[in-house]
Amino acid sequence: MFHRRASAARPMLAAYGRGYTSDSSRTVAYTKDKYPGIERSTALNQLSSEDITFFKSILPPTSVITDEDDLSSYNVDWMRKYRGQSSVVLLPKTTEQVAKALAYCNERRLGVVPQGGNTGLVGGGVPVFDEVVISTQHMNGIRSFDAASGTITCDAGCILEVLDNYLAERGYMMPLDLGAKGSCHIGGNVATNAGGLRLLRYGSLHGTVLGLETVLPDGTVLDNMSTLRKDNTGYDLKQLFIGSEGTLGIITGVSMLTPKRAKSTNVALVGLESFEKVQETFHMAKDMLSEILSAFEFWDHKAAGLVRAHHGVGHKDPLTSQYPFYVLVETQGSDSEHDMAKLNGFLEKLLESSIVDDGVVAQDDTQIKSLWSLRELIPEACSKAGAVYKYDVSIPVPKLYTLVEDMRERLAAVGLLGQQVEEVIGYGHVGDGNLHLNITATSYDSKVTQAIEPYVYEWTAKHAGSISAEHGLGLMKAEKIGYSKSPSMIHLMRQIKQLIDPHGIMNPYKYFPSTHQHQHQ
Ligand code: FAD
Ligand code: MLT
Ligand code: ZN
């Protein structure tokens, strides 16, 4: 039956630190050692002391980091899986400073890695060798907000949650939301074309980004900070940079269309016996909640177990018993009575049809946050293992969970499940056909990798899916793009890259397959 939540007070989602999971003591091997086949590009020069002198001449002293301790959080990624060896991080404050720094790196043939909040999950935001890191951390000004149209323009280094709080005071909201909102930058979100928890309702960044200011490798500033909704003059160049993962230039400014903040938000959590029932719930949600449905997230009992284990007693299952699957349904609308009546009607129908046996409806904002935290804490809970292999795939909804089951069977058959492999976990954005398959293990090991890959990519391609729904290619999937894109598409992408970045300084070793394959752990 549905019940009101009893205990309201729950810890809120903690802000994520720069590039660290909570277990920051774990040593991280250098990426170059984990990817033995990867070679430093001979076309790129080594950093010299003259380069540092130049950077200090164009940036304030506090914006040129060379101290080894200070460098480490920029060299290691959020999962503590990838570790580069950069010896300089630049923290420009203005677009002009970015332009000067990039033009210099281009002239000197120095590799560059753009970095935002360093919450990326594919090793794209950290260097592989000694590339110069250019971080948007100091570019965090809001440039303008138009309360009539809801358009916001800001620097690329604004933290997503800061932007959302700013808009909340003005009756608007950011159209995207993700668990890393306390750390990720809007420039990083655009560069990865982040999806997140409400794409189902508010759409992708390809629709909500109205304009971008971008610095090309030669220092040219491409000023397209349009706030127009309609503009059919020429190629829509900003679309190229959305999802380009730092391979074409540095995004320095973003202009976005933001929706009105919903006056009423309701959240329900239900427990289900099978993934078929998750799908039935989804169809019914689309049918009965239609225009107010704002999120539809699922996770399995393995994910729930990890959150309980790692986030303590406060994250006990709020339902009367445990279930194989959980679904969080959120509605956002303008009339709380009407919205609650619709949600209750939907939940009653689920009960009557025996699709669910149990569920809870949040009664206030604290309970809403608490239910959401059960979902949002899953990535962090998975990251507490010695290693976590993360796959982020688009698959037609009916087959979404089959990959998790097939992977479990496969890892058991080769004798790894219960040994080096601890858990095979499934969760994600059902509404977008996006599964997050996470495999926790005692450590990163090539035997485990080889049992998972290329099987996971072949499985996805066979089922007409994409090997990256939202996290991107980065270093992790640079060699795998061929599973989701045809040779002619990859060829055209390479030509575009060559045109904009002829010396290959932007985020080298990422995104595109190298001329020789390299296997990783
Ligand atoms: P970074 O990690 O710093 O960089 C990511 C990539 O973008 C790199 O290739 C980098 O070179 C490039 N880049 C960064 N800034 C710029 C710039 N200004 N110009 C050009 N290139 C740039 N992703 C989702 O899609 N949906 C989710 O729901 C989601 N949830 C997450 C939850 C957690 C807990 C974590 C840790 C990550 C999650 N992510 C999710 C993954 C991640 O892609 C997003 O967090 C985010 O979009 C990355 O932004 P960032 O500022 O941290 O970028
Ligand atoms: C999520 O949906 O939680 C994110 O994409 C992060 C992850 O997959 O772990
Ligand atoms: Zn996601």
Side-chain angles (χ1 to χ4, degrees):
M1 58 170 283
F2 281 94
H3 48 95
R4 288 161 174 261
R5 296 223 39 223
S7 60
R10 292 281 161 86
M12 300 232 325
L13 191 68
Y16 293 98
R18 289 197 51 78
Y20 285 98
T21 65
S22 48
D23 182 13
S24 58
S25 59
R26 200 198 302 153
T27 7
V28 185
Y30 286 115
T31 304
K32 71 169 180 58
D33 298 332
K34 272 194 193 160
Y35 286 68
I38 200 165
E39 279 168 26
R40 192 184 174 287
S41 165
T42 48
L44 298 173
N45 284 321
Q46 303 262 358
L47 194 78
S48 68
S49 57
E50 287 79 37
D51 298 327
I52 302 290
T53 308
F54 174 80
F55 294 137
K56 286 188 173 159
S57 77
I58 59 159
L59 296 167
T62 50
S63 295
V64 182
I65 299 180
T66 51
D67 177 85
E68 207 168 310
D69 285 344
D70 297 338
L71 288 169
S72 66
S73 68
Y74 299 89
N75 269 315
V76 179
D77 76 315
W78 187 88
M79 296 174 291
R80 300 185 64 72
K81 179 175 178 186
Y82 300 99
R83 182 172 173 198
Q85 295 174 294
S86 182
S87 50
V88 67
V89 173
L90 307 181
L91 303 168
K93 222 182 147 34
T94 65
T95 302
E96 201 192 343
Q97 289 172 353
V98 174
K100 279 187 184 157
L102 261 193
Y104 179 83
C105 292
N106 196 43
E107 200 58 42
R108 272 277 296 132
R109 312 285 194 266
L110 298 174
V112 170
V113 177
Q115 192 177 94
N118 197 8
T119 66
L121 297 173
V122 288
V126 287
V128 177
F129 294 100
D130 54 350
E131 299 85 85
V132 174
V133 174
I134 301 188
S135 163
T136 50
Q137 212 180 331
H138 286 178
M139 302 185 75
N140 49 17
I142 291 172
R143 300 186 190 178
S144 69
F145 174 65
D146 174 13
S149 61
T151 48
I152 187 165
T153 67
C154 64
D155 294 344
C158 287
I159 290 175
L160 178 59
E161 192 171 41
V162 171
L163 290 174
D164 194 54
N165 290 341
Y166 171 90
L167 290 169
E169 288 170 16
R170 289 153 182 86
Y172 282 85
M173 62 187 273
M174 287 299 280
L176 83 157
D177 187 15
L178 30 133
K181 59 181 160 274
S183 299
C184 62
H185 296 185
I186 190 66
N189 297 146
V190 173
T192 54
N193 186 25
L197 304 163
R198 296 203 180 83
L199 184 137
L200 159 80
R201 170 73 168 272
Y202 299 104
S204 109
L205 290 171
H206 281 294
T208 51
V209 170
L210 298 177
L212 290 180
E213 178 189 84
T214 314
V215 181
L216 303 184
D218 67 1
T220 304
V221 179
L222 215 60
D223 182 357
N224 179 215
M225 285 292 276
S226 170
T227 53
L228 303 172
R229 290 210 62 184
K230 300 178 85 173
D231 176 11
N232 276 356
T233 51
Y235 298 129
D236 189 357
L237 294 177
K238 69 171 184 294
Q239 299 296 350
L240 258 186
F241 292 88
I242 302 174
S244 61
E245 298 181 46
T247 59
L248 298 178
I250 299 192
I251 298 163
T252 49
V254 179
S255 155
M256 284 191 80
L257 183 66
T258 70
K260 269 283 193 188
R261 202 167 198 90
K263 291 200 179 77
S264 106
T265 297
N266 293 304
V267 172
L269 175 77
V270 295
L272 307 106
E273 292 297 341
S274 67
F275 191 71
E276 281 65 42
K277 294 200 166 181
V278 171
Q279 291 179 69
E280 286 176 51
T281 307
F282 180 48
H283 289 137
M284 203 177 277
K286 283 203 289 189
D287 206 31
M288 295 185 67
L289 301 172
S290 46
E291 80 288 352
I292 59 167
L293 182 64
S294 52
F296 191 101
E297 294 288 312
F298 99 102
W299 59 98
D300 64 12
H301 65 293
K302 295 282 184 198
L306 283 181
V307 170
R308 266 196 306 276
H310 294 296
H311 296 284
V313 77
H315 288 86
K316 260 202 195 126
D317 206 319
L319 305 181
T320 46
S321 51
Q322 293 179 13
Y323 290 87
F325 293 95
Y326 298 87
V327 161
L328 182 147
V329 180
E330 184 192 73
T331 65
Q332 293 196 325
S334 57
D335 179 335
S336 55
E337 250 176 63
H338 161 272
D339 296 351
M340 192 48 118
K342 269 192 132 173
L343 183 62
N344 283 334
F346 161 70
L347 296 171
E348 272 160 29
K349 187 83 188 280
L350 284 179
L351 275 179
E352 269 168 32
S353 325
S354 302
I355 296 173
V356 306
D357 301 321
D358 191 10
V360 286
V361 182
Q363 298 301 308
D364 55 35
D365 280 355
T366 313
Q367 292 189 351
I368 287 176
K369 285 195 178 107
S370 160
L371 289 187
W372 261 118
S373 73
L374 295 172
R375 163 64 182 89
E376 289 186 281
L377 286 170
I378 297 170
E380 199 183 332
C382 291
S383 76
K384 305 270 170 148
V388 56
Y389 293 80
K390 293 179 86 72
Y391 300 91
D392 147 56
V393 293
S394 272
I395 304 175
V397 176
K399 285 279 172 198
L400 203 72
Y401 200 72
T402 315
L403 175 57
V404 182
E405 291 164 335
D406 287 359
M407 185 59 77
R408 254 182 219 140
E409 232 171 73
R410 179 179 169 84
L411 294 175
V414 296
L416 285 169
L417 190 58
Q419 301 295 316
Q420 266 163 291
V421 171
E422 291 165 353
E423 303 284 7
V424 179
I425 301 132
Y427 59 97
H429 318 289
V430 178
D432 313 329
N434 178 183
L435 170 74
H436 292 309
L437 167 70
N438 280 223
I439 298 162
T440 56
T442 46
S443 62
Y444 291 109
D445 183 282
S446 54
K447 205 157 49 157
V448 177
T449 312
Q450 280 158 25
I452 303 171
E453 300 178 19
Y455 174 80
V456 63
Y457 300 124
E458 285 166 357
W459 195 103
T460 305
K462 196 171 95 194
H463 291 86
S466 165
I467 63 159
S468 175
E470 57 179 13
H471 297 164
L473 297 161
L475 182 66
M476 180 187 175
K477 284 169 268 177
E479 303 293 336
K480 321 288 179 191
I481 186 173
Y483 285 101
S484 294
K485 290 289 181 292
S486 66
S488 49
M489 290 173 94
I490 298 169
H491 179 66
L492 183 58
M493 287 187 210
R494 278 197 198 275
Q495 287 181 312
I496 293 169
K497 164 82 175 171
Q498 177 67 24
L499 177 73
I500 298 177
D501 180 23
H503 304 304
I505 65 157
M506 295 307 305
N507 226 355
Y509 323 107
K510 323 273 175 66
Y511 211 76
F512 291 100
S514 57
T515 37
H516 55 278
Q517 293 266 319
H518 46 79
Q519 183 57 274
H520 65 97
Q521 294 180 348

Coordinates of all heavy atoms in Angstrom, one line a residue, residues 9 23 90 96 166 169 171 197-198 249 308 379 387 454 459 500 520:
A9 N 13.7 13.5 8.2 CA 15.1 14.0 8.2 C 16.1 13.0 7.7 O 16.3 12.0 8.2 CB 15.5 14.4 9.6
D23 N 37.0 8.0 -0.9 CA 38.2 7.3 -0.5 C 39.4 7.8 -1.3 O 39.9 7.2 -2.2 CB 38.0 5.8 -0.8 CG 39.3 5.0 -0.4 OD1 40.1 5.5 0.3 OD2 39.4 3.8 -0.9
L90 N 46.3 26.0 -15.7 CA 46.1 27.4 -15.9 C 44.6 27.6 -15.4 O 43.7 26.9 -15.8 CB 46.2 27.8 -17.3 CG 47.6 27.5 -18.0 CD1 47.6 28.0 -19.4 CD2 48.8 28.0 -17.1
E96 N 39.6 36.4 -22.9 CA 40.8 36.9 -23.5 C 42.0 36.2 -23.0 O 42.9 35.8 -23.8 CB 41.0 38.4 -23.1 CG 41.8 39.2 -24.1 CD 42.2 40.6 -23.5 OE1 41.5 41.0 -22.6 OE2 43.2 41.1 -24.0
Y166 N 20.5 30.5 -8.3 CA 20.3 31.9 -8.8 C 19.0 32.0 -9.5 O 18.2 32.9 -9.3 CB 21.5 32.2 -9.8 CG 21.3 33.5 -10.5 CD1 21.8 34.7 -10.0 CD2 20.7 33.5 -11.8 CE1 21.7 35.9 -10.7 CE2 20.5 34.7 -12.5 CZ 21.1 35.9 -12.0 OH 20.9 37.1 -12.6
E169 N 15.7 31.9 -7.3 CA 15.3 33.2 -6.7 C 14.5 34.0 -7.7 O 13.8 35.0 -7.3 CB 16.6 34.0 -6.3 CG 17.2 33.4 -5.0 CD 18.6 34.0 -4.8 OE1 18.9 35.1 -5.3 OE2 19.3 33.4 -4.0
G171 N 12.4 32.6 -10.0 CA 11.2 31.8 -10.5 C 11.5 30.9 -11.6 O 10.6 30.4 -12.3
L197 N 18.8 13.9 -15.0 CA 17.6 13.3 -14.4 C 16.3 13.8 -15.0 O 15.3 13.2 -14.8 CB 17.7 13.6 -12.9 CG 19.0 13.1 -12.2 CD1 19.1 13.7 -10.9 CD2 18.9 11.6 -12.1
R198 N 16.3 14.9 -15.7 CA 15.1 15.5 -16.2 C 15.0 15.7 -17.8 O 14.2 16.5 -18.2 CB 14.7 16.8 -15.5 CG 14.5 16.6 -14.0 CD 13.6 17.6 -13.4 NE 13.5 17.3 -12.0 CZ 14.4 17.6 -11.1 NH1 15.5 18.3 -11.4 NH2 14.2 17.3 -9.8
G249 N 38.0 23.0 -29.0 CA 38.2 24.4 -28.5 C 37.7 24.4 -27.0 O 37.3 23.4 -26.5
R308 N 22.5 1.6 0.8 CA 22.3 1.3 2.2 C 23.6 1.0 2.9 O 23.9 1.5 4.0 CB 21.4 0.0 2.4 CG 19.9 0.3 2.5 CD 19.2 -0.9 3.0 NE 19.4 -2.1 2.2 CZ 18.8 -2.4 1.1 NH1 17.8 -1.7 0.7 NH2 19.0 -3.5 0.5
P379 N 25.8 6.4 -7.8 CA 27.2 6.5 -8.4 C 28.3 6.5 -7.3 O 29.3 5.8 -7.4 CB 27.2 7.8 -9.2 CG 25.8 8.1 -9.5 CD 25.0 7.5 -8.4
A387 N 37.3 -0.9 -7.5 CA 37.3 -0.4 -8.9 C 35.8 -0.5 -9.3 O 35.1 -1.4 -8.8 CB 38.1 -1.3 -9.7
P454 N 35.2 -6.8 -25.5 CA 34.2 -5.9 -26.2 C 32.8 -6.4 -26.1 O 31.9 -5.9 -26.7 CB 34.7 -6.0 -27.6 CG 35.3 -7.4 -27.8 CD 35.9 -7.7 -26.4
W459 N 27.2 -6.3 -27.7 CA 25.8 -6.5 -27.2 C 25.0 -5.3 -27.6 O 23.9 -5.4 -28.1 CB 25.8 -6.8 -25.7 CG 24.6 -7.4 -25.2 CD1 24.3 -8.7 -24.8 CD2 23.3 -6.7 -24.9 NE1 23.1 -8.9 -24.4 CE2 22.4 -7.7 -24.4 CE3 22.9 -5.4 -25.0 CZ2 21.1 -7.4 -24.0 CZ3 21.6 -5.1 -24.7 CH2 20.7 -6.1 -24.2
I500 N 39.6 22.4 -37.6 CA 39.6 23.4 -36.5 C 40.9 23.3 -35.6 O 41.3 24.3 -35.1 CB 38.3 23.1 -35.6 CG1 37.1 23.3 -36.5 CG2 38.3 24.0 -34.4 CD1 35.8 23.1 -35.8
H520 N 43.0 -1.5 -22.3 CA 43.2 -0.9 -21.0 C 42.6 -1.8 -19.9 O 41.9 -2.8 -20.2 CB 42.6 0.5 -20.9 CG 41.1 0.5 -21.0 ND1 40.3 0.5 -20.0 CD2 40.3 0.4 -22.1 CE1 39.0 0.5 -20.4 NE2 39.0 0.4 -21.7

